[in-house]
Protein backbone atom coordinates (compact mmCIF):
# COMPACT_ATOMS: atom_id res chain seq x y z
CA UNK A 1 0.00 0.00 0.00
CA UNK A 2 1.49 3.35 -1.02
CA UNK A 3 2.28 5.42 2.04
CA UNK A 4 0.29 2.79 3.95
CA UNK A 5 2.24 3.34 7.16
CA UNK A 6 1.82 7.11 7.01
CA UNK A 7 -1.69 7.68 5.75
CA UNK A 8 -4.57 7.59 8.25
CA UNK A 9 -6.55 4.35 7.78
CA UNK A 10 -10.20 4.46 8.72
CA UNK A 11 -13.28 2.30 8.41
CA UNK A 12 -16.64 3.98 7.89
CA UNK A 13 -20.04 2.50 8.70
CA UNK A 14 -22.04 4.91 6.54
CA UNK A 15 -25.51 4.07 7.78
CA UNK A 16 -28.97 5.43 7.16
CA UNK A 17 -29.42 6.33 10.83
CA UNK A 18 -25.85 7.02 11.93
CA UNK A 19 -22.25 7.14 10.77
CA UNK A 20 -19.52 5.45 12.79
CA UNK A 21 -15.82 5.80 12.08
CA UNK A 22 -13.21 3.30 13.29
CA UNK A 23 -9.57 4.27 13.55
CA UNK A 24 -6.67 3.06 15.63
CA UNK A 25 -8.53 0.10 17.14
CA UNK A 26 -11.42 2.19 18.40
CA UNK A 27 -14.56 4.03 17.39
CA UNK A 28 -13.52 7.66 17.08
CA UNK A 29 -16.79 9.08 15.79
CA UNK A 30 -20.47 8.17 16.16
CA UNK A 31 -22.85 10.75 14.73
CA UNK A 32 -26.42 10.68 13.37
CA UNK A 33 -26.57 10.75 9.55
CA UNK A 34 -28.58 13.96 9.60
CA UNK A 35 -27.99 17.35 8.00
CA UNK A 36 -29.82 20.64 8.59
CA UNK A 37 -30.22 22.92 5.57
CA UNK A 38 -31.29 26.51 5.01
CA UNK A 39 -34.37 26.22 2.79
CA UNK A 40 -33.75 29.51 0.94
CA UNK A 41 -30.02 29.10 0.19
CA UNK A 42 -29.70 25.31 0.51
CA UNK A 43 -26.62 25.93 2.63
CA UNK A 44 -25.74 23.45 5.38
CA UNK A 45 -26.40 24.76 8.88
CA UNK A 46 -25.55 21.71 10.99
CA UNK A 47 -24.36 18.12 10.62
CA UNK A 48 -24.65 15.09 12.88
CA UNK A 49 -25.82 15.40 16.49
CA UNK A 50 -26.50 19.11 16.23
CA UNK A 51 -28.73 18.53 13.18
CA UNK A 52 -30.45 15.53 14.82
CA UNK A 53 -31.50 17.72 17.74
CA UNK A 54 -33.33 19.95 15.26
CA UNK A 55 -35.58 17.17 13.90
CA UNK A 56 -39.21 18.14 14.44
CA UNK A 57 -38.19 21.46 16.01
CA UNK A 58 -37.19 23.61 13.02
CA UNK A 59 -38.80 26.80 11.74
CA UNK A 60 -39.92 27.51 8.18
CA UNK A 61 -36.36 28.43 7.11
CA UNK A 62 -34.68 25.19 8.14
CA UNK A 63 -35.21 21.60 7.09
CA UNK A 64 -33.51 18.48 8.36
CA UNK A 65 -32.70 15.65 5.95
CA UNK A 66 -31.26 12.17 6.06
CA UNK A 67 -29.13 12.05 2.89
CA UNK A 68 -29.05 8.26 2.92
CA UNK A 69 -32.24 6.28 2.56
CA UNK A 70 -32.59 2.52 2.89
CA UNK A 71 -28.83 2.08 2.91
CA UNK A 72 -28.01 4.08 -0.24
CA UNK A 73 -27.24 7.70 -1.11
CA UNK A 74 -30.41 9.61 -1.94
CA UNK A 75 -28.92 13.13 -1.85
CA UNK A 76 -25.39 13.05 -3.22
CA UNK A 77 -24.28 16.63 -2.53
CA UNK A 78 -25.46 16.54 1.07
CA UNK A 79 -23.87 13.13 1.63
CA UNK A 80 -20.60 14.44 0.23
CA UNK A 81 -20.57 17.38 2.65
CA UNK A 82 -21.48 15.12 5.54
CA UNK A 83 -18.68 12.68 4.68
CA UNK A 84 -16.19 15.53 4.37
CA UNK A 85 -17.14 16.69 7.84
CA UNK A 86 -16.88 13.20 9.38
CA UNK A 87 -13.56 12.34 7.69
CA UNK A 88 -12.10 15.66 8.78
CA UNK A 89 -13.25 15.04 12.35
CA UNK A 90 -11.88 11.48 12.38
CA UNK A 91 -8.46 12.35 10.92
CA UNK A 92 -8.00 15.62 12.85
CA UNK A 93 -7.42 17.52 9.59
CA UNK A 94 -4.16 15.72 8.78
CA UNK A 95 -2.52 16.66 5.49
CA UNK A 96 -2.26 13.10 4.15
CA UNK A 97 -5.50 11.82 2.67
CA UNK A 98 -6.79 8.67 4.44
CA UNK A 99 -7.21 5.14 3.11
CA UNK A 100 -10.87 4.34 3.66
CA UNK A 101 -13.02 1.21 3.81
CA UNK A 102 -16.75 1.86 3.55
CA UNK A 103 -19.34 -0.81 4.27
CA UNK A 104 -22.29 -1.20 1.92
CA UNK A 105 -25.54 -3.21 1.96
CA UNK A 106 -25.18 -6.60 0.28
CA UNK A 107 -27.94 -5.77 -2.21
CA UNK A 108 -26.42 -2.54 -3.50
CA UNK A 109 -26.23 -1.99 -7.27
CA UNK A 110 -23.02 -1.10 -9.12
CA UNK A 111 -24.34 2.42 -9.75
CA UNK A 112 -25.05 2.90 -6.04
CA UNK A 113 -21.67 1.36 -5.26
CA UNK A 114 -19.91 3.84 -7.50
CA UNK A 115 -21.80 6.71 -5.86
CA UNK A 116 -20.41 5.66 -2.45
CA UNK A 117 -16.86 5.44 -3.85
CA UNK A 118 -17.07 8.80 -5.62
CA UNK A 119 -18.52 10.48 -2.53
CA UNK A 120 -15.75 9.10 -0.30
CA UNK A 121 -13.02 10.12 -2.76
CA UNK A 122 -14.47 13.58 -3.29
CA UNK A 123 -14.78 13.91 0.48
CA UNK A 124 -11.02 13.48 0.82
CA UNK A 125 -10.18 9.77 0.72
CA UNK A 126 -6.92 8.74 -0.99
CA UNK A 127 -8.25 5.29 -1.91
CA UNK A 128 -11.52 3.53 -1.16
CA UNK A 129 -12.44 -0.08 -0.49
CA UNK A 130 -15.92 -1.52 -0.14
CA UNK A 131 -17.03 -4.31 2.16
CA UNK A 132 -20.50 -5.80 2.56
CA UNK A 133 -22.23 -5.02 5.85
CA UNK A 134 -22.85 -8.60 7.03
CA UNK A 135 -19.19 -9.50 6.40
CA UNK A 136 -18.02 -6.46 8.34
CA UNK A 137 -20.53 -7.32 11.07
CA UNK A 138 -19.19 -10.87 11.29
CA UNK A 139 -15.60 -9.66 11.65
CA UNK A 140 -16.67 -7.08 14.23
CA UNK A 141 -18.57 -9.74 16.18
CA UNK A 142 -15.41 -11.81 16.46
CA UNK A 143 -16.30 -14.52 13.94
CA UNK A 144 -13.39 -16.12 12.10
CA UNK A 145 -14.72 -15.87 8.55
CA UNK A 146 -11.73 -17.71 7.09
CA UNK A 147 -12.91 -21.08 8.41
CA UNK A 148 -14.79 -23.50 6.12
CA UNK A 149 -17.75 -23.78 8.48
CA UNK A 150 -20.75 -21.58 7.88
CA UNK A 151 -21.91 -18.69 10.04
CA UNK A 152 -25.10 -16.68 9.65
CA UNK A 153 -25.16 -12.99 10.46
CA UNK A 154 -28.28 -10.80 10.56
CA UNK A 155 -27.36 -7.12 10.60
CA UNK A 156 -30.36 -4.89 11.34
CA UNK A 157 -29.42 -1.28 10.72
CA UNK A 158 -31.47 1.85 10.24
CA UNK A 159 -32.36 1.45 6.56
CA UNK A 160 -31.62 -2.18 5.66
CA UNK A 161 -31.44 -5.63 7.16
CA UNK A 162 -28.60 -7.65 5.68
CA UNK A 163 -28.59 -11.42 6.12
CA UNK A 164 -25.68 -13.55 5.00
CA UNK A 165 -24.16 -17.00 5.35
CA UNK A 166 -20.38 -16.64 5.37
CA UNK A 167 -17.65 -19.25 4.96
CA UNK A 168 -14.06 -19.29 3.67
CA UNK A 169 -13.77 -15.49 3.55
CA UNK A 170 -16.81 -15.10 1.35
CA UNK A 171 -20.56 -14.70 1.23
CA UNK A 172 -22.25 -17.95 0.20
CA UNK A 173 -25.87 -16.76 0.34
CA UNK A 174 -27.19 -13.30 1.16
CA UNK A 175 -30.31 -11.18 1.19
CA UNK A 176 -30.75 -7.46 1.77
CA UNK A 177 -34.17 -6.00 2.47
CA UNK A 178 -35.09 -2.36 2.94
CA UNK A 179 -36.77 -3.07 6.26
CA UNK A 180 -35.00 -2.16 9.51
CA UNK A 181 -35.01 0.33 12.37
CA UNK A 182 -36.60 3.17 10.41
CA UNK A 183 -39.50 0.90 9.42
CA UNK A 184 -39.95 -0.03 13.10
CA UNK A 185 -40.32 3.69 13.88
CA UNK A 186 -42.73 4.26 10.97
CA UNK A 187 -44.85 1.31 12.10
CA UNK A 188 -45.07 2.69 15.63
CA UNK A 189 -46.14 6.08 14.26
CA UNK A 190 -48.83 4.42 12.11
CA UNK A 191 -50.04 2.31 15.03
CA UNK A 192 -50.41 5.32 17.35
CA UNK A 193 -52.20 7.25 14.63
CA UNK A 194 -54.59 4.41 13.82
CA UNK A 195 -55.24 3.22 17.38
CA UNK A 196 -55.25 6.52 19.26
CA UNK A 197 -55.83 9.12 16.52
CA UNK A 198 -52.65 10.80 17.68
CA UNK A 199 -49.82 12.18 15.54
CA UNK A 200 -46.31 11.68 16.90
CA UNK A 201 -42.91 12.49 15.41
CA UNK A 202 -40.11 10.13 14.39
CA UNK A 203 -37.96 11.02 17.40
CA UNK A 204 -40.85 10.12 19.72
CA UNK A 205 -41.40 6.84 17.86
CA UNK A 206 -37.72 5.98 18.20
CA UNK A 207 -37.84 6.71 21.93
CA UNK A 208 -40.90 4.45 22.29
CA UNK A 209 -39.05 1.66 20.48
CA UNK A 210 -35.99 1.99 22.70
CA UNK A 211 -37.90 2.36 25.96
CA UNK A 212 -40.77 -0.16 25.78
CA UNK A 213 -40.18 -1.98 22.48
CA UNK A 214 -40.62 -5.71 23.09
CA UNK A 215 -41.60 -8.30 20.47
CA UNK A 216 -41.65 -11.45 22.60
CA UNK A 217 -44.21 -12.61 25.14
CA UNK A 218 -43.40 -11.21 28.58
CA UNK A 219 -45.10 -11.03 31.96
CA UNK A 220 -43.74 -7.68 33.19
CA UNK A 221 -45.57 -4.95 31.31
CA UNK A 222 -43.77 -1.63 30.90
CA UNK A 223 -45.70 1.57 30.27
CA UNK A 224 -44.70 4.85 28.68
CA UNK A 225 -46.59 8.14 28.45
CA UNK A 226 -46.11 9.97 25.15
CA UNK A 227 -47.43 13.24 23.80
CA UNK A 228 -48.52 14.28 20.35
CA UNK A 229 -51.17 16.18 18.43
CA UNK A 230 -54.75 14.96 18.50
CA UNK A 231 -55.89 14.57 14.90
CA UNK A 232 -59.54 15.12 15.80
CA UNK A 233 -59.16 18.35 17.77
CA UNK A 234 -55.72 19.57 16.73
CA UNK A 235 -54.60 20.05 20.32
CA UNK A 236 -51.81 18.42 22.37
CA UNK A 237 -52.76 15.14 24.04
CA UNK A 238 -51.00 12.41 25.99
CA UNK A 239 -51.56 8.66 25.90
CA UNK A 240 -50.04 5.68 27.71
CA UNK A 241 -48.57 2.88 25.62
CA UNK A 242 -47.56 -0.55 26.90
CA UNK A 243 -44.80 -2.94 25.90
CA UNK A 244 -47.43 -5.54 24.98
CA UNK A 245 -48.67 -3.31 22.16
CA UNK A 246 -45.29 -3.20 20.50
CA UNK A 247 -45.40 -6.55 18.71
CA UNK A 248 -48.69 -5.55 17.11
CA UNK A 249 -47.28 -2.13 16.26
CA UNK A 250 -44.14 -3.54 14.59
CA UNK A 251 -45.60 -6.80 13.27
CA UNK A 252 -45.19 -6.09 9.54
CA UNK A 253 -41.46 -5.18 9.51
CA UNK A 254 -40.66 -7.94 12.01
CA UNK A 255 -42.44 -10.51 9.81
CA UNK A 256 -40.52 -9.28 6.76
CA UNK A 257 -37.21 -9.87 8.55
CA UNK A 258 -38.28 -13.34 9.72
CA UNK A 259 -39.33 -14.27 6.18
CA UNK A 260 -36.01 -13.04 4.75
CA UNK A 261 -34.05 -15.15 7.26
CA UNK A 262 -36.06 -18.21 6.24
CA UNK A 263 -35.43 -17.51 2.55
CA UNK A 264 -31.67 -17.37 3.13
CA UNK A 265 -31.73 -20.63 5.08
CA UNK A 266 -33.74 -22.30 2.29
CA UNK A 267 -31.03 -21.31 -0.24
CA UNK A 268 -28.13 -22.39 1.95
CA UNK A 269 -26.31 -25.69 1.18
CA UNK A 270 -27.28 -28.45 3.68
CA UNK A 271 -23.75 -28.78 5.09
CA UNK A 272 -23.67 -25.10 5.98
CA UNK A 273 -27.17 -25.29 7.48
CA UNK A 274 -25.78 -27.90 9.87
CA UNK A 275 -23.02 -25.46 10.83
CA UNK A 276 -25.53 -22.67 11.42
CA UNK A 277 -27.66 -24.96 13.57
CA UNK A 278 -24.59 -25.66 15.68
CA UNK A 279 -23.18 -22.11 15.76
CA UNK A 280 -26.47 -20.23 15.90
CA UNK A 281 -27.42 -16.92 14.29
CA UNK A 282 -25.49 -13.79 15.25
CA UNK A 283 -27.52 -10.56 15.43
CA UNK A 284 -25.82 -7.19 14.96
CA UNK A 285 -26.84 -3.59 14.34
CA UNK A 286 -29.00 -1.28 16.41
CA UNK A 287 -32.13 -3.25 15.55
CA UNK A 288 -30.68 -6.29 17.31
CA UNK A 289 -31.23 -4.47 20.61
CA UNK A 290 -35.01 -4.64 20.21
CA UNK A 291 -36.11 -6.59 23.27
CA UNK A 292 -37.17 -10.16 22.55
CA UNK A 293 -36.16 -10.17 18.89
CA UNK A 294 -33.46 -12.80 19.42
CA UNK A 295 -35.94 -15.13 21.15
CA UNK A 296 -38.60 -14.52 18.49
CA UNK A 297 -36.13 -15.40 15.70
CA UNK A 298 -34.98 -18.51 17.58
CA UNK A 299 -38.57 -19.71 17.97
CA UNK A 300 -39.47 -18.93 14.37
CA UNK A 301 -36.55 -20.66 12.62
CA UNK A 302 -35.78 -23.17 15.40
CA UNK A 303 -32.12 -22.13 15.53
CA UNK A 304 -30.61 -20.34 18.49
CA UNK A 305 -30.08 -16.62 17.94
CA UNK A 306 -27.69 -14.45 19.93
CA UNK A 307 -27.12 -10.70 20.03
CA UNK A 308 -23.45 -9.87 19.48
CA UNK A 309 -21.49 -8.03 22.11
CA UNK A 310 -21.69 -4.31 21.32
CA UNK A 311 -23.98 -4.89 18.30
CA UNK A 312 -24.21 -1.21 17.28
CA UNK A 313 -20.46 -0.99 16.71
CA UNK A 314 -19.90 -4.40 15.05
CA UNK A 315 -20.06 -3.16 11.45
CA UNK A 316 -17.75 -0.20 12.09
CA UNK A 317 -15.26 -2.36 14.01
CA UNK A 318 -15.29 -5.04 11.30
CA UNK A 319 -14.92 -2.42 8.57
CA UNK A 320 -11.88 -0.96 10.30
CA UNK A 321 -10.33 -4.33 11.10
CA UNK A 322 -10.52 -5.38 7.46
CA UNK A 323 -7.76 -2.83 6.87
CA UNK A 324 -5.41 -5.14 8.78
CA UNK A 325 -5.48 -7.34 5.66
CA UNK A 326 -4.51 -4.50 3.32
CA UNK A 327 -1.66 -6.40 1.63
CA UNK A 328 -4.01 -9.26 0.87
CA UNK A 329 -6.73 -6.91 -0.30
CA UNK A 330 -4.49 -5.52 -3.02
CA UNK A 331 -3.63 -9.01 -4.28
CA UNK A 332 -7.33 -9.93 -4.27
CA UNK A 333 -6.68 -13.08 -2.26
CA UNK A 334 -9.14 -12.11 0.45
CA UNK A 335 -12.65 -12.11 -0.95
CA UNK A 336 -14.73 -9.87 1.30
CA UNK A 337 -17.38 -8.76 -1.19
CA UNK A 338 -19.52 -10.58 -3.67
CA UNK A 339 -17.16 -9.63 -6.51
CA UNK A 340 -14.00 -9.59 -4.41
CA UNK A 341 -12.65 -6.70 -2.39
CA UNK A 342 -12.13 -3.82 -4.78
CA UNK A 343 -9.70 -0.93 -4.61
CA UNK A 344 -10.76 2.38 -6.12
Amino acid sequence: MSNGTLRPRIGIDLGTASCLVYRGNQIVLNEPSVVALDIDTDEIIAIGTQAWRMIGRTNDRIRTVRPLREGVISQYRVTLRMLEFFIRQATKNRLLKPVVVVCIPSGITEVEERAVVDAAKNAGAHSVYLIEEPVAAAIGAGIDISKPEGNMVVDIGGGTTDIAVIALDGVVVSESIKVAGDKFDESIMKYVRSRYNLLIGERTAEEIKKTIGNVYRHSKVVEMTVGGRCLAQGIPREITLTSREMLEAMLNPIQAILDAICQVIERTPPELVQDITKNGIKLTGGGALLKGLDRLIADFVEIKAEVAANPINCVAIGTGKSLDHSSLLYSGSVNLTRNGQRDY
Side-chain angles (χ1 to χ4, degrees), residues 123 132 184 209 226 264 312:
E132 290 184 2
F184 296 165
K209 176 183 67 180
V226 299
V264 170
I312 293 176

Coordinates of all heavy atoms in Angstrom, one line a residue, residues 123 132 184 209 226 264 312:
A123 N -14.8 13.4 -0.9 CA -14.8 13.9 0.5 C -13.4 13.9 1.1 O -13.2 14.4 2.2 CB -15.7 13.1 1.3
E132 N -19.1 -5.6 2.3 CA -20.5 -5.8 2.6 C -20.8 -5.8 4.1 O -20.0 -6.3 4.9 CB -21.0 -7.1 1.9 CG -21.0 -7.1 0.4 CD -21.6 -8.4 -0.2 OE1 -22.0 -9.2 0.6 OE2 -21.6 -8.5 -1.4
F184 N -39.4 0.2 11.8 CA -40.0 0.0 13.1 C -40.6 1.3 13.6 O -41.7 1.3 14.1 CB -38.9 -0.5 14.1 CG -38.2 -1.8 13.8 CD1 -37.1 -2.2 14.5 CD2 -38.8 -2.7 12.9 CE1 -36.5 -3.4 14.2 CE2 -38.2 -3.9 12.7 CZ -37.0 -4.3 13.3
K209 N -39.7 2.9 20.9 CA -39.0 1.7 20.5 C -37.9 1.3 21.5 O -37.9 0.1 21.9 CB -38.5 1.8 19.1 CG -37.7 0.6 18.6 CD -37.1 0.8 17.2 CE -36.1 1.9 17.2 NZ -35.5 2.1 15.9
V226 N -46.7 9.2 26.3 CA -46.1 10.0 25.2 C -47.1 11.0 24.8 O -48.3 10.9 24.9 CB -45.8 9.1 23.9 CG1 -44.7 8.1 24.3 CG2 -47.0 8.4 23.4
V264 N -33.1 -17.1 3.2 CA -31.7 -17.4 3.1 C -31.3 -18.8 3.6 O -30.5 -19.5 2.9 CB -30.9 -16.3 4.0 CG1 -29.4 -16.7 4.1 CG2 -31.0 -14.9 3.4
I312 N -24.2 -2.5 18.1 CA -24.2 -1.2 17.3 C -22.9 -0.9 16.6 O -22.8 -0.4 15.5 CB -24.6 0.0 18.2 CG1 -26.0 -0.2 18.7 CG2 -24.5 1.3 17.5 CD1 -26.5 0.9 19.7

